[in-house]
Amino acid sequence: MSRGTLYDKVWDEHAVTELPTGQTQLFVGLHLIHEVTSPQAFGMLGERDLEVAYPELTHATVDHIVPTADQSRPFGDDAAEEMMSELERNVRDSGIVFDDPGSGNQGIVHVIGPEQGLTQPGMTVVCGDSHTSTHGAFGALAFGIGTSQIRDVLATQTIAMEKKEVRKIEVTGELGSHVGAKDVILTIIRKLGVEGGVGYVYEYGGSAIESLGMEGRMSICNMSIEGGARAGYVNPDETTYDWLRETDAFADSEGRSPSGSRAKPGGDPEEFERRKEYWESIRSDSDAEYDDVVTIDGDEIEPVVTWGTTPGQGIGISEPIPEPEDLPEDKQDTARRSQEHMRVTPGETMQGYDVDVAFLGSCTNARLPDLRDAAEVVEGREVDSSVRAMVVPGSERVKAAAEDEGLDEVFTEAGFDWRGAGCSMCLGMNEDQLEGDEACASSSNRNFVGRQGSKEGRTVLMSPVMVAAAAVTGEVTDVRELPEVAVR
Amino acid sequence: MSSADEVTVDTVERVSGTGIPIRGNDIDTDQVIPARFMKVVTFDGLGQFAFFDQRFDDDDEEKDHPMNEDRFRDASIMAVNANFGCGSSREHAPQALMRWGIDALIGESFAEIFAGNCLALGIPTVTADHETVTAIQDWIDTNPDGEIDIDVANEVVRYGDEEVAVTVEDAQRRALVDGVWDTTALMKSNSGAVADTANSLPYLADDD
């Protein structure tokens, strides 16, 4: 078993007791909730006559069903309106802070937690959403949970969990131009498999990871679950601390916080230093022991796109789509079905694959630097006439910040639709969906059949700059080969 | 005594019933229950939407799928392959299977959150190697009325004349066999220790 890792230290600090099952009862420092997976949990609390034990450690927003065009109430979709009303009632009755649309703070739950400084190193974070692993970018232990576990957290502020093994994934070297976090994580999942992380927590490190900003680290941790690992994390460092200093929790004493202010030191520099001492103490020791270590050469990574219907079916943009018979036996059947669905030809590259929709958004890639990078590619170009292109910022704050920089104009002048914050076309629970057999260049995290709202729809996962390149050319394109354009 | 302490939890030492094979690796929870059916505030009624897009075409006509076959309609044990339940954490997935009639799953491997969600519903997810699971799936195909018995406590599956060893993850086995898989009341009873832990955490300890 691992020893001296961040995972071991944070686990031990949050362990309440051992349960009769052998599981650990683990204290939860931050519980994030949204409208899809929490209403049934509140219902179960009601049935058992229980109350929310620590409402000040719970924080709510709406993201999956919220419309990204017209957000006036009642929502046009009755089912969405009912879910929204249910969430509003639950948070009001329980005294839970809620970032509702128009508050300036609403957004995808995994975007708003970090940006408000709710997510901090050394915390345990849970949410009824598998991409809760995102928060590991801060050196937090963050787990996606199911609704019955949400009930447990609401009632007790704890979850029952078994300790996992720790796999260190070292990405060495330096990433090339237009190669980023998304390409790194798609490479990791391709190499280790979509089930390779089951039973493990991933610790990401190495020069290529450490050189990334917080948003890139979030993109990588976000997709830990796509590799089967329930959680992934990066040890906190100066990049983490510099980012945290700018958040509400630390920037000034007027900022917002969870309702009890328990996690909030305000703008007190001494408090920041005290916290930092703690954050430093939970970093993995230099002689920490891991259950497994994997090394990946970051210099070798090129822009990655998926050719199939699992996130593990990815290739470098210049590589050929594999022949199913060249894959391990247990992957062949899935590969054949995926290739049939996607209508791709083994032996060819993905370059030139026609795209009908370009989606820039999701908890993986809808943060400000993602939008900046994509805008740089888009600027001075036009969206191909065959493409429906949309940008869905991750939060109202991301949207406002992007507009301050004029990114919205870059996108709209090129022909992108500039929309409100939410999960949108990542999973098709609002009106933003693929139609028929449309092919989508998507910055999101899953290419499962039917994921984007149409069971014939085809999703090609890629980085934000690659989505931008696909949008302006109408096909999957190596962003590095786009000719220079003169920008005003 | 509060009502939380009165919740009685059944022990799940064994599950018996007929089987249904669902073949294929990496079956994700978006397939088990498509997102559009999650626009609900309760889990009631999800059973009819289990595997909906695999079972019905655009005109709601039935497609070839085991769950549409009469011979499997009363099945309560689902035999699946590797990495079943990957992807989204939606508990709607096991809820839909349970409400369709599934009481247990036998598979090569299960995604972690899915298995945890099943456990929270008292549904065992037992595992065996590829050959064993394939043999069970093939047997179900030719014996749709045949009884399968999952002995959770002893980690054995019996069907026809066969008796095969399976794996039930340790915590899951103890939780099911001892009837402690519904953890709310159990964990609530430790509220003093929970408060102590909260007060020992550097990021919460400065409170009052």
Side-chain angles (χ1 to χ4, degrees), chain A residues 451-463:
Chain A
R451 174 72 181 180
Q452 293 191 278
S454 165
K455 50 193 168 181
E456 286 88 36
R458 295 167 290 153
T459 302
V460 183
L461 302 178
M462 59 186 76
S463 70

Side-chain angles (χ1 to χ4, degrees), chain B residues 54-115:
Chain B
Q54 272 67 46
R55 292 167 61 198
F56 300 96
D57 67 15
D58 286 337
D59 302 318
D60 285 345
E61 295 293 325
E62 286 193 355
K63 299 201 283 192
D64 278 347
H65 190 275
M67 291 172 84
N68 288 339
E69 295 183 40
D70 279 337
R71 61 196 188 119
F72 296 131
R73 204 139 279 172
D74 296 325
S76 59
I77 293 171
M78 188 170 269
V80 302
N81 298 107
N83 200 31
F84 187 86
C86 59
S88 165
S89 60
R90 56 187 71 165
E91 188 172 307
H92 303 67
Q95 289 273 359
L97 296 180
M98 179 177 79
R99 285 156 202 273
W100 188 83
I102 297 302
D103 297 328
L105 292 98
I106 305 170
E108 293 173 43
S109 59
F110 294 91
E112 216 166 85
I113 303 179
F114 178 84

Side-chain angles (χ1 to χ4, degrees), chain A residues 343-356:
Chain A
R343 288 185 243 144
V344 297
T345 312
E348 294 181 0
T349 70
M350 282 298 287
Q351 295 188 71
Y353 185 83
D354 282 337
V355 163
D356 307 295

Side-chain angles (χ1 to χ4, degrees), chain B residues 15-199:
Chain B
V15 179
S16 299
T18 60
I20 177 169
I22 301 289
R23 295 173 198 267
N25 296 335
D26 304 322
I27 291 179
D28 56 77
T29 52
D30 275 80
Q31 290 181 54
V32 179
I33 182 86
R36 65 183 183 280
F37 300 119
M38 290 164 58
K39 284 200 210 169
V40 288
V41 295
T42 78
F43 293 125
D44 302 341
L46 284 182
Q48 58 186 310
F49 302 122
F51 279 105
F52 193 89
D53 290 344
Q54 272 67 46
R55 292 167 61 198
F56 300 96
D57 67 15
D58 286 337
D59 302 318
D60 285 345
E61 295 293 325
E62 286 193 355
K63 299 201 283 192
D64 278 347
H65 190 275
M67 291 172 84
N68 288 339
E69 295 183 40
D70 279 337
R71 61 196 188 119
F72 296 131
R73 204 139 279 172
D74 296 325
S76 59
I77 293 171
M78 188 170 269
V80 302
N81 298 107
N83 200 31
F84 187 86
C86 59
S88 165
S89 60
R90 56 187 71 165
E91 188 172 307
H92 303 67
Q95 289 273 359
L97 296 180
M98 179 177 79
R99 285 156 202 273
W100 188 83
I102 297 302
D103 297 328
L105 292 98
I106 305 170
E108 293 173 43
S109 59
F110 294 91
E112 216 166 85
I113 303 179
F114 178 84
N117 285 340
C118 285
L119 178 59
L121 303 178
I123 297 176
T125 49
V126 312
T127 56
D129 61 28
H130 176 70
E131 286 69 30
T132 303
V133 170
T134 308
I136 292 173
Q137 290 174 326
D138 293 346
W139 184 83
I140 294 171
D141 251 333
T142 49
N143 299 276
D145 297 324
E147 189 86 350
I148 301 169
D149 179 53
I150 302 177
D151 183 339
V152 177
N154 295 306
E155 301 183 272
V156 170
V157 167
R158 299 180 189 90
Y159 63 98
D161 299 328
E162 302 290 329
E163 177 171 310
V164 292
V166 294
T167 303
V168 186
E169 192 262 329
D170 196 41
Q172 182 186 129
R173 186 169 47 80
R174 290 161 73 176
L176 291 170
V177 172
D178 297 340
V180 288
W181 48 269
D182 184 324
T183 35
T184 310
L186 180 64
M187 297 205 296
K188 186 93 187 149
S189 68
N190 297 327
S191 61
V194 171
D196 290 346
T197 305
N199 287 325

Side-chain angles (χ1 to χ4, degrees), chain A residues 14 25 48 77 148 152, chain B residues 3 39 91 182-184 190:
Chain A
H14 290 78
Q25 182 173 356
R48 300 179 186 201
D77 176 348
S148 294
D152 283 356
Chain B
S3 63
K39 284 200 210 169
E91 188 172 307
D182 184 324
T183 35
T184 310
N190 297 327

Side-chain angles (χ1 to χ4, degrees), chain A residues 22 88 94-95 117 139 145 165 194 197 291 295 297 309 330 332 361 414 432 434 454 465:
Chain A
E88 288 171 326
S94 309
I145 58 175
E165 302 199 315
V194 287
D291 301 290
T295 304
D297 184 355
T309 57
D330 61 330
Q332 294 182 6
D432 305 341
L434 294 185
S454 165
V465 290

